Amino acid sequence: MELHTTRGSLAREDLGLILPHEHVFVDLGPMAAENWRDADPDDVVEVMAPEIERARESGVTALVEATPEGVGRRVDVDLAVSEATDFPIVVPTGIYQEPSIPEWAREASEDELTEWLVEDLTDGVEDTGVRAAWIKVSTDDDDPTGLSPDERKILRAAARAGERTGAAIGSHTLHGEVVHEQLDTIEDVGYDPERFVWIHAQAGDERFHRAVAERGAYVEFDWIGGDDQDDGDYVDRVRRLVDAGDTDRVLLSQDRGWYDPSEPDGGEQKPYTYLTERFLPTLREAGVDEATVRQLTHDNPFEAYAR
């Protein structure tokens, strides 16, 4: 297995701690404004290279960029930051949620979407020469009742592309009920739930965490260092899954960064260092041994996103 990055394909021994859900560049402004199109890579490098250097100094060896189409994916920008810092960034293909699904994706057939995803995963994204490592999908934050027709079409295409290439699917999903629907959908297409990552699992009811892990999917806690929960909540959630024997199904990240072209000078960045400098020491103090910490932060992210 190898992890496809902006610095080439890397083996397990080439890497240490990996952050599985962060952002270097993401446009959170009105999509109609298309601010992401005009962003200058040099401007992003100036702002984000120091953040990458801080991450490296704290022990991070690679990070997974989680920005798909629909919120300003710019793999050329990720590549520019990576080249300026000699730091591996793992980029996705895929499409965001309602109502941010681009019109071209709504008009495309499932077959057309599948071929587009496969091309990004095998030939590279546009003219960057960078192969996407994984597929990012999403579901409507405000709708706990299930997938929209376009979200289902995109997910089915993702499962078909993932089955052909071995690529993981990660889904921004805030409702545990919807995760089970997603797992049913991908299984129907023939995709292995063990290659599925439930992104933002901390937003869902805790009773779904073990159930999703038992179906084989990864459960990702990725707002660590955010304002809505303290570290103790995350420690408890991690320990419950570890104690249940699901250590190999847990991912930890921060959802931090980033340069937002809809904000002056890219907005205000949050360092990528909270996990390494604050949370992992707290996890160790809570009795989680070093071998488990290493599995959570080194082995699991590599296994999840390599192919």
Side-chain angles (χ1 to χ4, degrees), residues 225-296:
D227 298 330
D228 59 332
Q229 292 169 317
D230 64 35
D231 288 351
D233 292 332
Y234 286 110
V235 169
D236 290 343
R237 292 174 183 188
V238 171
R239 291 193 63 176
R240 277 193 283 273
L241 287 173
V242 168
D243 291 345
D246 295 318
T247 304
D248 64 342
R249 298 293 93 191
V250 180
L251 296 170
L252 305 176
S253 210
Q254 306 158 126
D255 200 8
R256 282 180 163 234
W258 50 71
Y259 189 102
D260 183 345
S262 69
E263 298 286 340
D265 301 318
E268 181 179 354
Q269 288 69 49
K270 291 185 178 180
Y272 298 118
T273 55
Y274 190 93
L275 188 84
T276 51
E277 295 178 353
R278 298 284 297 277
F279 183 73
L280 294 183
T282 301
L283 198 60
R284 295 181 180 104
E285 290 170 5
V288 178
D289 62 58
E290 197 59 39
T292 300
V293 171
R294 181 181 177 85
Q295 181 171 357
L296 295 172

Side-chain angles (χ1 to χ4, degrees), residues 20-26 63-69 71 73 78 89-92 96 134 136-137 172 199-200 220 255 305:
H21 188 98
E22 310 295 334
H23 293 275
V24 174
F25 181 91
V26 58
L63 65 79
V64 177
E65 166 71 89
T67 303
E69 295 290 321
V71 278
R73 183 178 71 148
D78 293 326
I89 298 173
V90 180
V91 305
Y96 203 52
W134 64 292
K136 170 76 177 287
V137 298
H172 168 126
I199 294 169
H200 305 327
E220 183 177 273
D255 200 8
Y305 289 99

Side-chain angles (χ1 to χ4, degrees), residues 49-89:
E51 299 300 338
I52 295 292
E53 294 296 348
R54 292 187 188 101
R56 191 204 313 270
E57 290 168 4
S58 77
V60 179
T61 65
L63 65 79
V64 177
E65 166 71 89
T67 303
E69 295 290 321
V71 278
R73 183 178 71 148
R74 284 281 302 270
V75 173
D76 64 318
V77 169
D78 293 326
L79 179 60
V81 173
S82 173
E83 290 178 336
T85 56
D86 192 24
F87 185 86
I89 298 173

Side-chain angles (χ1 to χ4, degrees), residues 135-200:
I135 306 168
K136 170 76 177 287
V137 298
S138 186
T139 63
D140 190 343
D141 292 349
D142 300 322
D143 187 358
T145 63
L147 302 169
S148 76
D150 282 327
E151 288 170 347
R152 184 179 302 278
K153 178 181 68 173
I154 291 165
L155 179 61
R156 285 180 57 86
R160 290 171 60 189
E163 194 275 330
R164 283 169 56 180
T165 62
I169 298 171
S171 181
H172 168 126
T173 305
L174 303 191
H175 307 286
E177 301 95 327
V178 181
V179 179
H180 281 297
E181 181 182 353
Q182 290 180 289
L183 293 176
D184 292 342
T185 299
I186 63 174
E187 284 185 307
D188 182 62
V189 177
Y191 185 84
D192 188 344
E194 291 188 0
R195 301 297 293 143
F196 185 89
V197 180
W198 178 11
I199 294 169
H200 305 327

Side-chain angles (χ1 to χ4, degrees), residues 93 113-119 121-122 135 155-167 169 189 191 307:
T93 187
L113 288 173
T114 300
E115 295 306 318
W116 171 73
L117 292 166
V118 168
E119 183 175 354
L121 292 163
T122 57
I135 306 168
L155 179 61
R156 285 180 57 86
R160 290 171 60 189
E163 194 275 330
R164 283 169 56 180
T165 62
I169 298 171
V189 177
Y191 185 84
R307 54 186 169 102

